[in-house]
Amino acid sequence: MKTSDFYFDLPQELIAQTPLERRDSSRLLALDRATGNTRHMHFYDLPSLLRPGDCLVLNDSRVLPARLIGHRAGGGACEVLLLIDRGEKVWECLVRPGKKLRPGAKVTFGDGELSAEVVGEVVGGNRLVRFDYDGIFLEALERLGKMPLPPYIKAELDDGERYQTVYSKVVGSAAAPTAGLHFTKELLEQVQAMGVRVCYVTLHVGLGTFRPVKAENLDEHEMHSEYCVIPQETADVINGTRRAGGRVICVGTTSCRTVESWAADDGTLAASAGWTNIFIYPGYRFKVLDALITNFHLPESTLIMLVSALAGREHVLSAYEEAVREKYRFFSFGDAMFIGSRIDEPGSKKTETLE
C-alpha cells in the first residue's frame, strides 16, 4: 500500500485549537469495523457501547512540561524541547534555532536557576543537552516549562492540566495520549460500576507521532521508538478478560501499540517493559485488541493507518468524510471515535442490533 492511499481532505477550520469546557461533552462517532456503519453520539454515551466483562486499557503516561524558553550565552532567545532522558542529566532534545545551538553552546532558563550545555548531536538533527541545576529537575520543569502542544495547535493553553488525562501518573511523554482526554473521573467510575474493568499501561509518547510518513510505500517506513510498560496486574486483567469472553478495548493508539507489541501469538500477555517501534497498518492481525477508542488523525499519518488496519481503509476514510461533513473537531483537542463491532442502534440511518 502507498502513503497516498490514506489521504483525505480536511478543512483547516476543523482542527480543534482549544479543549471543550467539559471533557466528556465531545462528540463520539461509533464505527462498526465489519460493516462500516456509523452512529453519532457524545462521549458521555460511551457506557452504552460497553458491556459487563469488558476491560478498558488506558495509558497513564503524564506529559512532561518539556518546552523550555531560554537565552543563549552571548544573547538571543532559544527553545529546547526535551524528548528522551539519556541519563546523567543529559536529554535528547529538539532545539531552535538549530544553527546557533551546536555542541559547546550554553543556555540559561528563568533567572538562571536552570542552565544547560549542548554536548552532542544525534542522527536526525536532535541535540544532546546536559542540564545543571540544584534540587529536583522535575520541580524546575514544573516552574519553568511549558506544555509541548502539537504544531497544528496555535492557541496558548490556559490550564496545562487540560493537556493531561485525569488518570495521568507516570511523567515522561512529550505529547499527550489524547484519546484519554475525553474521560472524567465520574465517567470512569460509571463504567467500572457497570462491570467494566479498567487497567493501565504506560507508553511515553514521543514527537515522532507527529512526523509525516515520507516513504511512498508503507513497508519502507521506519517507525519511531517509544518506551512502554505493561504491569503484571494489567496483564492479569487482560488475560482474564479474554478467557471470560470479554472485549479488550484500548483507549488510544498508544495503548494499542503497547499491548500488541508484547502479546504472544495466542494473545496472552506477561509483565513487560522496553522500547517498541511496532508499525500497524492494513494487513496486520491484532492479537489482543477487540475495539479502540481514538481521536481523528492526520491525513497520511501512521495513526490513520493503524485504525485502517482495524476497520479497513475504505470504512475509515468513509467515516472520516462523514465526520468532515458533520463538522467534527479533529486532532488532539477534537472529538473521538469508537471502533468496534455491532455499534448501530435501532432507528439510526444504518441499523443493526446492538449487543
Side-chain angles (χ1 to χ4, degrees):
M1 301 190 78
K2 295 185 177 181
T3 299
S4 57
D5 291 335
F6 298 89
Y7 177 80
F8 65 94
D9 187 35
L10 177 67
Q12 289 292 306
E13 62 267 21
L14 296 185
I15 299 175
Q17 294 296 311
T18 56
L20 297 178
E21 182 176 349
R22 178 180 162 189
R23 288 177 183 260
D24 63 358
S25 65
S26 56
R27 297 168 75 187
L28 178 66
L29 177 63
L31 170 65
D32 189 305
R33 56 184 288 197
T35 66
N37 293 353
T38 56
R39 177 180 171 189
H40 298 283
M41 312 170 68
H42 286 88
F43 203 82
Y44 50 70
D45 298 317
L46 177 66
S48 69
L49 295 171
L50 306 179
R51 310 175 195 140
D54 290 343
C55 76
L56 291 178
V57 185
L58 295 86
N59 181 5
D60 64 5
S61 183
R62 186 169 174 82
V63 184
L64 197 68
R67 183 169 162 247
L68 290 164
I69 308 299
H71 288 85
R72 293 179 284 111
C78 64
E79 181 176 327
V80 174
L81 182 62
L82 309 181
L83 297 178
I84 302 172
D85 184 355
R86 296 301 187 186
E88 302 296 324
K89 296 187 175 182
V90 175
W91 284 74
E92 182 175 334
C93 303
L94 284 173
V95 299
R96 190 183 301 170
K99 292 182 179 179
K100 300 289 187 179
L101 292 172
R102 301 293 186 186
K106 296 183 178 181
V107 182
T108 58
F109 307 94
D111 293 324
E113 66 175 292
L114 185 63
S115 60
E117 179 180 355
V118 180
V119 295
E121 296 187 29
V122 297
V123 175
N126 293 347
R127 305 291 194 268
L128 297 176
V129 180
R130 178 181 290 116
F131 290 87
D132 184 35
Y133 51 88
D134 294 322
I136 300 173
F137 186 53
L138 288 179
E139 291 182 354
L141 286 182
E142 290 290 345
R143 291 190 297 273
L144 301 174
K146 297 178 179 293
M147 280 296 160
L149 295 177
Y152 47 74
I153 294 178
K154 309 304 181 184
E156 288 290 330
L157 190 61
D158 293 332
D159 179 6
E161 283 301 308
R162 293 308 308 274
Y163 196 55
Q164 305 278 13
T165 63
V166 297
Y167 49 80
S168 64
K169 182 173 65 174
V170 185
V171 177
S173 278
T178 54
L181 295 178
H182 306 281
F183 280 92
T184 63
K185 291 181 180 179
E186 293 77 16
L187 184 58
L188 285 171
E189 291 170 357
Q190 182 182 352
V191 300
Q192 288 176 291
M194 63 179 284
V196 175
R197 301 287 299 276
V198 173
C199 59
Y200 299 91
V201 298
T202 303
L203 181 141
H204 291 317
V205 187
L207 289 184
T209 192
F210 300 119
R211 288 178 182 153
V213 178
K214 295 182 178 179
E216 181 179 0
N217 296 313
L218 299 193
D219 55 5
E220 297 174 357
H221 175 67
E222 184 174 344
M223 195 72 173
H224 60 284
S225 294
E226 294 166 313
Y227 188 77
C228 58
V229 178
I230 300 175
Q232 185 63 55
E233 179 182 0
T234 294
D236 292 342
V237 169
I238 292 174
N239 292 338
T241 297
R242 298 183 73 249
R243 284 194 302 268
R247 297 176 301 171
V248 177
I249 302 169
C250 289
V251 177
T253 57
T254 59
S255 298
C256 167
R257 293 179 67 240
T258 300
V259 298
E260 292 294 324
S261 292
W262 300 105
D265 287 339
D266 64 357
T268 57
L269 287 168
S272 308
W275 293 84
T276 180
N277 64 349
I278 188 172
F279 181 21
I280 297 175
Y281 57 93
Y284 178 84
R285 181 182 67 83
F286 288 89
K287 304 173 201 172
V288 179
L289 175 144
D290 296 299
L292 178 68
I293 297 169
T294 186
N295 281 16
F296 290 91
H297 304 297
L298 286 164
E300 300 183 335
S301 65
T302 60
L303 304 181
I304 193 172
M305 293 169 190
L306 185 153
V307 298
S308 295
L310 180 62
R313 184 181 72 91
E314 293 80 5
H315 288 166
V316 168
L317 290 180
S318 177
Y320 270 53
E321 290 171 1
E322 186 172 343
V324 169
R325 287 195 303 271
E326 297 294 330
K327 299 191 183 305
Y328 274 69
R329 304 167 79 244
F330 276 67
F331 306 159
S332 296
F333 288 138
D335 296 315
M337 293 185 75
F338 179 96
I339 304 175
S341 300
R342 297 178 295 278
I343 54 84
D344 289 318
E345 63 178 352
S348 66
K349 68 173 184 177
K350 302 174 183 177
T351 60
E352 199 174 340
T353 300
L354 175 65
E355 284 190 6

